Amino acid sequence: QVQLVESGGGLVQAGDSLRLSCAASGRTLSTYAKGWFRQAPGKEREFVAAISWSGVNAYYSDSVKGRFTISRDNAKNTMYLRMNGLRPEDTAVYYCAADGAVQSISVPDQYKYWGQGTQVTVSS
């Protein structure tokens, strides 16, 4: 069993930056894949970024590529999402997710474990 807790969200202006953190506890040895998703009111949960256990392979959605950076520190059981150049359309609740093995990293149903989310609001 794995527990995930996100932090670092807040209210910022367009162009600002934030760093989100996702702390994992429990049986983390089985959580080799981790990802970030977000969900705005009235919209489906969408893929943001994902990272392999080694941290070598990172993947991003087209909407955040070049602005966001995903990373992880396995010694601290923590994953991060650095968000630069934030835009109003980035406003959403951001969730971290994890699973032992994921075939389709951008599909929410592929992940077993989820955090409760952290709110990111970007004003224009």
Side-chain angles (χ1 to χ4, degrees):
Q1 299 183 30
V2 176
Q3 294 80 45
L4 305 175
V5 180
E6 304 95 336
S7 62
L11 174 62
V12 298
Q13 293 184 323
D16 286 353
S17 298
L18 282 174
R19 190 181 76 161
L20 306 182
S21 298
C22 174
S25 62
R27 192 173 294 180
T28 57
L29 289 177
S30 63
T31 57
Y32 294 105
K34 289 186 176 180
W36 287 97
F37 293 78
R38 66 187 182 187
Q39 187 167 23
K43 296 185 178 180
E44 295 183 357
R45 189 166 300 187
E46 65 174 348
F47 171 74
V48 176
I51 190 169
S52 63
W53 181 89
S54 66
V56 174
N57 303 117
Y59 312 89
Y60 302 92
S61 68
D62 291 339
S63 63
V64 307
K65 190 177 300 181
R67 298 187 298 121
F68 292 8
T69 303
I70 188 172
S71 62
R72 65 190 294 172
D73 186 338
N74 290 339
K76 297 181 179 180
N77 292 319
T78 302
M79 178 177 64
Y80 306 94
L81 183 69
R82 179 67 181 181
M83 304 183 294
N84 295 326
L86 284 165
R87 306 166 180 171
E89 53 263 40
D90 294 319
T91 296
V93 177
Y94 283 71
Y95 300 88
C96 64
D99 206 339
V102 175
Q103 294 188 9
S104 300
I105 58 172
S106 63
V107 180
D109 290 345
Q110 296 293 304
Y111 295 82
K112 293 182 178 179
Y113 308 105
W114 293 84
Q116 293 184 337
T118 184
Q119 177 71 49
V120 173
T121 302
V122 185
S123 62
S124 60

